[in-house]
Amino acid sequence: MALSTRKWLGLALLAGALELLAAAPAAAQGTVRRHLVYFRDKAGTPYSVTQPQAFLSARAIARRTKQGIAVLPRDLPVNPAYVTQVKNLTGSPQVVYTSRWFNAAVVACDSVTLARITALPIVRSAATLNRSQQKFSPAPAPVQVPPVAARGTLATRAQYGPAYQQDRQIGATAMHDAGFRGDGMHIAVFDAGFPGVNQIPAMQPLFQENRLVATRNFVDGGKNVYLRNSHGTNCVSAIAANQAGFYIGTAPKATFHLCITEDVNSEHPIEEANWLAAAEYADSAGVDVISSSLGYTTFDAPSRSYTYAAMNGRTAISSRAATVAARVGMVVVSAAGNEGNNFWRYISAPADADSIISVAAVDSMGNKAGFSSFGPSADGRIKPTLAAMGQAAAVLSPSGAAFRGNGTSYACPVLAGMVAGFWQANPTLTAQQVIAALRSTASQANNPDNSLGYGIPNFVTAYNALHPTAPLAATASSPTAEALGLYPNPAGEGALTLVLPQDLRGQPLTLRVLDARGAVVAQQRLSASTSSEVPVRMGRLAKGAYTCEVSAGTTRRTVKFVQQ
């Protein structure tokens, strides 16, 4: 994964092909483990590539059809007769889930039963995926960093809150001004848990507008994802949060699928198998973009770890899964890893996968973050692919509070949201054409390296390259740029800051605060100021919704805020 502990992206290390794990010492008889059981073929399957509606949603079929991607035997489900043979063996093996792409099943059983399974003529091989059975316990909270100084157009900043710079840096604010906020695009987020997402005010539009369409928990089973580790909450907020005046993510109108694939209590290949299962779910559900802030390099003993040589896109199970996900028409966005200043140094799986976007981290000025992992992949491909703000990036906690943290974990969703909006704006592109368009117009497109890849992409630059006769303006042009702003919003007990449009500067102002009934509850005079930013104190206000009105002569502007 990708936080400040060994579990998180870049701070975990893996080594060796999944098949090699079968050579590790067998589990003690009677101890139930999870194993990946590979079948020999799909002979006799009742499914057909000519009838994909039996195993793919209409949206999934449409995504493939639009991109000219055929349904292949690889896409057919595992033969159900093979699954039945496994289930009927003595020892009561449990088939947890199956994999279409790998023609395999994740099976929970003890070592004696596993021997019976591998003896079946239909089985090619098996690999043990986990070696411990630990109870869930909360992982440490991410390290928070101090806020960065405000920069840029403050009226727009007042709307976006602390997310402003990370959104603006890749052109997402201009993308929103142009009307592309991810509407109609489906994004799947793979992570370790999403506590608080169903309660955070800035995330409520997801529920009010029915844009959280599915949840899957591949660790515990079932559909409850509002538990476990808050890393997923942090990451999805960077895309989906939508509370003007407090925080706006990069694709605040997209539709979401939340999947728990990571167990932070241990590091074993079972989590990569969970990633595979989630990717196949995303494919079948018709997802457009996968955002994954997870990474694998080293496992807990006795599972065998990866070496850098295995970061070739063809060895790690998550990398192989990510490659297939790209082949079936999804854009996979994966955090590159946080290993840049430690002994591993390089990208982790699945960031090494072919045909995906591996995301490096930069600061607000576009400088590479020291912790961001380097490329290339072990087979010499340029990695990472692109970069976004991951140093002092703003995300939300399960309580709904905004904080700043470090990690390619955060750069990944910031960029994934822009990718969704860019694809929305250019719906005739294929997934690979989306990646190519962003890559070819990024800040280092003419001189890519293994620090930031092709560099920092920008929505406007990429869009204008595709639409030279109808380009967008390079800067935001929405009415919010000349609106009255106020932050923080919601407000606490401290001072507030007014962000004045040009027509209210340089003259004395009258400020009034009206409650929800329209009654004036506070009033004051403000001295003339040429500054765009003026601190004010509203006095003691009861909790609730208010309107702040600022006027000068016949010019009057209002902004709504919430007192907490």
Side-chain angles (χ1 to χ4, degrees):
M1 270 198 185
L3 265 191
S4 56
T5 70
R6 177 182 55 80
K7 285 290 302 174
W8 301 98
L9 206 181
L11 302 180
L13 309 175
L14 320 181
L18 183 65
E19 285 80 358
L20 294 179
L21 297 170
Q29 182 176 345
T31 301
V32 173
R33 310 293 190 201
R34 291 191 176 189
H35 315 273
L36 190 61
V37 175
Y38 292 91
F39 296 107
R40 291 189 180 278
D41 53 48
K42 293 183 178 180
T45 177
Y47 300 100
S48 169
V49 295
T50 64
Q51 300 289 325
Q53 64 273 15
F55 50 91
L56 294 175
S57 68
R59 184 179 174 85
I61 295 171
R63 186 194 66 229
R64 292 174 185 237
T65 301
K66 185 175 74 171
Q67 300 182 61
I69 298 172
V71 177
L72 302 175
R74 167 198 64 200
D75 301 307
L76 299 176
V78 170
N79 189 333
Y82 291 178
V83 175
T84 299
Q85 286 189 51
V86 171
K87 287 182 176 179
N88 288 343
L89 288 174
T90 301
S92 302
Q94 176 193 2
V95 176
V96 182
Y97 45 76
T98 60
S99 167
R100 294 183 285 117
W101 297 342
F102 286 13
N103 192 28
V106 171
V107 181
C109 65
D110 62 20
S111 58
V112 172
T113 305
L114 179 63
R116 297 188 183 106
I117 292 172
T118 56
L120 291 172
I122 60 171
V123 172
R124 175 168 60 87
S125 62
T128 298
L129 295 171
N130 67 328
R131 297 283 170 178
S132 61
Q133 298 289 340
Q134 296 178 320
K135 294 183 178 180
F136 169 71
S137 60
V143 175
Q144 300 187 17
V145 299
V148 295
R151 297 186 183 93
T153 305
L154 291 173
T156 303
R157 177 179 292 279
Q159 293 295 313
Y160 282 77
Y164 172 70
Q165 176 59 16
Q166 63 205 45
D167 289 9
R168 188 201 64 82
Q169 187 180 61
I170 56 174
T173 52
M175 179 177 82
H176 298 168
D177 287 345
F180 306 111
R181 294 175 172 246
D183 306 68
M185 303 300 294
H186 283 230
I187 302 174
V189 182
F190 300 172
D191 220 291
F194 304 90
V197 166
N198 55 338
Q199 298 175 331
I200 295 172
M203 303 294 283
Q204 288 310 296
L206 282 179
F207 300 90
Q208 296 162 355
E209 299 165 13
N210 297 316
R211 291 187 290 105
L212 181 52
V213 295
T215 56
R216 295 290 187 276
N217 186 336
F218 291 95
V219 174
D220 306 303
K223 298 181 179 181
N224 183 9
V225 298
Y226 308 118
L227 73 173
R228 287 190 165 262
N229 192 276
S230 62
H231 188 256
T233 304
N234 308 151
C235 290
V236 72
S237 69
I239 315 175
N242 189 19
Q243 186 176 352
F246 172 63
Y247 188 108
I248 299 177
T250 48
K253 287 291 186 178
T255 297
F256 289 84
H257 304 246
L258 303 184
C259 300
I260 294 180
T261 64
E262 186 76 7
D263 181 355
V264 300
N265 297 285
S266 60
E267 191 81 339
H268 291 287
I270 182 61
E271 292 153 293
E272 289 197 275
N274 294 341
W275 202 105
L276 165 66
E280 292 191 17
Y281 158 75
D283 170 37
S284 66
V287 162
D288 302 300
V289 177
I290 291 174
S291 178
S292 170
S293 293
L294 305 170
Y296 304 95
T297 53
T298 297
F299 293 122
D300 297 337
S303 294
R304 290 189 176 181
S305 296
Y306 293 122
T307 62
Y308 169 62
M311 299 294 105
N312 57 16
R314 301 183 302 276
T315 299
I317 187 171
S318 58
S319 303
R320 291 156 54 198
T323 299
V324 180
R327 299 287 187 269
V328 299
M330 292 183 282
V331 175
V332 179
V333 186
S334 174
N338 301 332
E339 310 290 350
N341 51 14
N342 68 28
F343 73 96
W344 176 269
R345 180 177 168 82
Y346 295 107
I347 55 171
S348 54
D352 64 320
D354 183 24
S355 305
I356 73 166
I357 297 176
S358 305
V359 188
V362 296
D363 64 15
S364 63
M365 302 302 290
N367 302 309
K368 179 185 178 295
F371 56 79
S372 188
S373 288
F374 291 90
S377 62
D379 57 343
R381 287 173 289 116
I382 290 177
K383 288 286 183 176
T385 314
L386 296 169
M389 187 170 162
Q391 183 167 329
V395 294
L396 302 184
S397 70
S399 69
F403 71 92
R404 293 190 180 276
N406 295 333
T408 58
S409 282
Y410 301 150
C412 173
V414 167
L415 183 55
M418 190 272 269
V419 169
F422 182 76
W423 205 355
Q424 176 199 359
N426 300 279
T428 62
L429 299 183
T430 66
Q432 292 306 304
Q433 288 171 340
V434 167
I435 296 173
L438 295 173
R439 193 177 64 185
S440 65
T441 57
S443 62
Q444 297 186 169
N446 296 325
N447 189 29
D449 58 29
N450 289 305
S451 295
L452 299 180
Y454 294 84
I456 303 169
N458 184 277
F459 173 87
V460 174
T461 305
Y463 182 92
N464 289 350
L466 295 175
H467 305 274
T469 61
L472 298 173
T475 58
S477 58
S478 72
T480 57
E482 282 301 306
L484 176 67
L486 180 148
Y487 67 91
N489 186 8
E493 296 181 355
L496 297 175
T497 299
L498 284 175
V499 183
L500 301 177
Q502 188 65 44
D503 56 3
L504 287 178
R505 300 175 197 168
Q507 52 192 318
L509 303 174
T510 299
L511 181 151
R512 300 196 308 164
V513 179
L514 293 77
D515 65 15
R517 301 170 299 169
V520 177
V521 295
Q523 185 168 332
Q524 59 182 288
R525 293 281 292 174
L526 303 176
S527 300
S529 173
T530 58
S531 173
S532 62
E533 191 173 8
V534 178
V536 296
R537 287 193 175 273
M538 299 294 192
R540 187 178 297 276
L541 297 175
K543 293 181 179 180
Y546 295 89
T547 298
C548 175
E549 176 189 275
V550 179
S551 60
T554 60
T555 302
R556 180 174 300 175
R557 298 286 185 271
T558 62
V559 60
K560 296 184 182 297
F561 71 98
V562 175
Q563 180 70 38
Q564 290 185 336

